[in-house]
Amino acid sequence: MHRLKSILLTLFCAGIILGAGYLVIVESGKKVLEKERTLEEASYEGASSNIFYGKIEDGIEVFPWNYFPQEGEEKVLGAYPRFQETFAIWDNGSEESLKESQEWYLCRLVGWATETEPREVWDWCQRNQKSFMGNMVMVEDAPISWIYFYQEMLELGGKQYQVRVACSEWNIISFHCAECPEGQERDRDAWKQGTEKLVQVLESSEEELEKYFNYMVFLRNQDAATVVNLNGEQINTYLESLHWLENILSKSPSKTLSVPEEVSEVLEAYGYYYTNEAKDKEGDSSKQAVLEKDGEPGYSYQIVELEDKILLLMQGEQTLGVYYDPITQRFCGFNFFYDY
């Protein structure tokens, strides 16, 4: 009888543990995936212990795109965010100045992703009535208040690119720009090679990626799409983040990467340093060494295979998504996730 009670007690405790674990996974997944659908396993050999893999069924959208209005759903046309409002006021404070400033900001991001001059992106959008600010769609029923969406196919340099931008009122929370593949089938060999390269980068650049992760968290928490550096120059912080990712991907795994100068200036201007060796010359103890490496990484990676790209989830106290095209072997955007 005593042995039977012990067995029953063990089974009862195991049930509680498994049930609690399941609920944690489901609730966590809701923050990233729509409709509580779980990831399918996609195993790779030789990966480090903090890299995990998954696959999302075709057609499933990640936040915030699961709030993009479908046919017949309520939406607002003609509205646009205000992530450059502070800097537009420096000019003349007009709405036209704000729209132009934000239009140019996004043209620079798309120009980087398409290897095209920003002016060419601007001209194409204006000529084809596809401007970012003029074609935003706003939804009000979202967990972080209003969300503004832009989704369009742009033709630049003889190629077609899918551009998707989502903004909160004061920040850019999702940006994706990648070349549209020809035909329906992706080159699976190229896909595999691109994924293997991504894994190598994750395993060899943990310190640099940790700095990048903390930089992006800073931009999200501060709604800092633009900041002023030590010389008083306006810095497109998300453009710098894309340059940083490109540098991480292109460097030799054995080479120690230096912090991009523009990024370093951005953080220093706001009182943040990369290492404990950086001292505040004024003796201000409030300066924060937030981007230093302290022991093992405090986050993990999840490589999630979408229909036509990879979403690299960097998960710590917060969650950041980075889009990666394994065919072209390029990072092609970012995505912030929110707890709600």
Side-chain angles (χ1 to χ4, degrees):
M1 180 62 69
H2 178 72
R3 183 178 180 183
L4 179 60
K5 289 182 179 179
S6 298
I7 294 174
L8 292 175
L9 181 60
T10 300
L11 292 174
F12 176 72
C13 293
I16 292 177
I17 293 172
L18 290 174
Y22 173 78
L23 289 175
V24 168
I25 292 171
V26 169
E27 290 302 316
S28 177
K30 285 181 183 178
K31 298 172 185 176
V32 178
L33 305 177
E34 181 190 20
K35 298 180 181 178
E36 303 181 24
R37 300 192 193 180
T38 57
L39 299 176
E40 298 176 13
E41 183 179 359
S43 300
Y44 291 79
E45 295 181 358
S48 64
S49 59
N50 65 329
I51 302 176
F52 305 94
Y53 300 85
K55 184 184 297 184
I56 295 181
E57 299 175 44
D58 295 351
I60 300 300
E61 295 286 7
V62 299
F63 177 85
W65 289 96
N66 52 315
Y67 287 92
F68 184 80
Q70 302 301 313
E71 190 68 32
E73 293 182 345
E74 186 175 350
K75 59 186 176 183
V76 178
L77 302 177
Y80 50 87
R82 313 188 74 82
F83 59 86
Q84 284 285 86
E85 184 170 61
T86 299
F87 300 94
I89 290 175
W90 289 3
D91 295 331
N92 56 35
S94 69
E95 286 298 306
E96 192 60 32
S97 175
L98 174 62
K99 291 174 68 175
E100 288 185 0
S101 177
Q102 295 180 163
E103 189 79 16
W104 183 248
Y105 189 107
L106 294 175
C107 284
R108 294 182 69 191
L109 296 185
V110 173
W112 173 87
T114 61
E115 299 181 292
T116 305
E117 290 297 322
R119 174 55 62 180
E120 185 176 341
V121 179
W122 175 287
D123 291 342
W124 189 94
C125 288
Q126 300 300 316
R127 187 169 59 250
N128 292 276
Q129 298 183 336
K130 304 290 187 181
S131 68
F132 302 109
M133 294 302 107
N135 291 275
M136 287 277 181
V137 174
M138 185 185 79
V139 296
E140 299 177 300
D141 186 19
I144 59 169
S145 189
W146 301 336
I147 300 181
Y148 303 81
F149 294 98
Y150 176 90
Q151 180 172 263
E152 195 56 74
M153 298 289 294
L154 305 188
E155 297 179 13
L156 299 166
K159 298 179 181 179
Q160 282 198 330
Y161 295 90
Q162 181 192 52
V163 178
R164 305 179 93 193
V165 181
C167 301
S168 64
E169 185 72 7
W170 306 107
N171 203 359
I172 301 171
I173 59 177
S174 179
F175 171 79
H176 169 260
C177 178
E179 183 180 351
C180 296
E182 296 182 3
Q184 298 298 317
E185 294 295 328
R186 303 287 269 171
D187 186 330
R188 301 313 301 178
D189 289 337
W191 182 287
K192 181 179 179 181
Q193 292 174 9
T195 303
E196 289 174 350
K197 180 175 181 178
L198 177 61
V199 173
Q200 292 173 1
V201 169
L202 297 182
E203 292 179 332
S204 62
S205 304
E206 289 191 38
E207 183 174 354
E208 188 72 7
L209 284 166
E210 184 174 3
K211 294 174 181 178
Y212 170 81
F213 175 81
N214 286 320
Y215 170 75
M216 293 296 284
V217 168
F218 165 78
L219 298 185
R220 194 200 89 159
N221 292 343
Q222 301 297 323
D223 287 334
T226 299
V227 298
V228 178
N229 69 4
L230 298 177
N231 295 322
E233 300 168 325
Q234 294 183 25
I235 302 298
N236 183 322
T237 54
Y238 290 124
L239 181 60
E240 293 304 324
S241 78
L242 295 173
H243 283 306
W244 196 352
L245 282 175
E246 186 175 43
N247 290 339
I248 292 174
L249 197 60
S250 62
K251 298 295 183 181
S252 168
S254 61
K255 184 176 180 180
T256 301
L257 298 173
S258 60
V259 175
E261 183 177 353
E262 293 288 357
V263 171
S264 179
E265 289 186 358
V266 166
L267 272 294
E268 287 187 24
Y270 281 75
Y272 292 83
Y273 292 113
Y274 282 92
T275 66
N276 275 328
E277 286 73 30
K279 304 295 183 183
D280 174 27
K281 297 178 182 178
E282 308 258 334
D284 185 352
S285 60
S286 67
K287 301 296 184 180
Q288 305 173 56
V290 295
L291 297 187
E292 64 186 68
K293 181 176 176 63
D294 183 17
E296 294 301 316
Y299 58 89
S300 61
Y301 306 109
Q302 187 165 13
I303 296 176
V304 182
E305 293 190 2
L306 306 180
E307 185 176 3
D308 58 353
K309 55 187 167 288
I310 283 175
L311 177 63
L312 172 63
L313 293 176
M314 303 178 70
Q315 297 171 298
E317 293 183 359
Q318 301 183 43
T319 301
L320 167 69
V322 179
Y323 290 112
Y324 172 75
D325 186 344
I327 304 297
T328 61
Q329 297 187 8
R330 290 196 71 194
F331 288 109
C332 51
F334 60 88
N335 199 97
F336 291 125
F337 296 97
Y338 290 76
D339 295 333
Y340 54 86

